[in-house]
Amino acid sequence: MKAKILSQDRDLVLGLRLGGITGKLVNNYKEANKYFDIFLKEEDLGVLILGDSIYKKLKYKVDEERKKRSKPLIVVLEEK
C-alpha cells in the first residue's frame, strides 16, 4: 500500500515527499478534480492525503467516495 498527497500548499507536499509520500501540487479546481480521480483509480493506494483547501473544493465528491469505498483512507490535513 502506498500514500499520495494532493494539496495547494507547497511546503506540505515537499515535507511529505521527504517521508516518501508522492503526490501533486495543484493550483485550481480543475487540476484537483483531475488528480483526485487519477489517484482513486490506483489499486495499491492505501491513504490519500488532501490539503484542507482541496477538500473544501471537492467536498461533495470526497464525501461521496468515502461513503462508497473503504479504501483508500482519505485524510484531510490543515495547510498554512
Side-chain angles (χ1 to χ4, degrees):
M1 294 279 168
K2 61 183 178 179
K4 295 250 182 175
I5 180 163
L6 188 59
S7 177
Q8 287 185 306
D9 183 356
R10 184 174 185 261
D11 293 335
L12 184 59
V13 172
L14 291 177
L16 289 173
R17 227 179 248 170
L18 290 172
I21 297 174
T22 60
K24 216 49 176 155
L25 180 65
V26 295
N27 295 314
N28 57 48
Y29 171 80
K30 188 175 179 180
E31 282 183 326
N33 193 42
K34 173 185 168 186
Y35 285 106
F36 182 76
D37 289 340
I38 289 170
F39 290 167
L40 287 181
K41 290 177 184 173
E42 295 183 18
E43 293 291 324
D44 60 344
L45 185 64
V47 179
L48 178 56
I49 303 165
L50 300 176
D52 61 350
S53 63
I54 300 299
Y55 175 69
K56 288 174 187 171
K57 290 178 181 179
L58 301 175
K59 184 175 181 3
Y60 178 78
K61 189 172 188 173
V62 172
D63 291 344
E64 286 299 311
E65 290 298 329
R66 280 179 167 167
K67 289 177 190 174
K68 285 196 286 189
R69 50 172 85 203
S70 61
K71 190 181 107 183
L73 174 65
I74 301 174
V75 179
V76 180
L77 293 181
E78 186 176 333
E79 299 168 318
K80 65 174 185 174

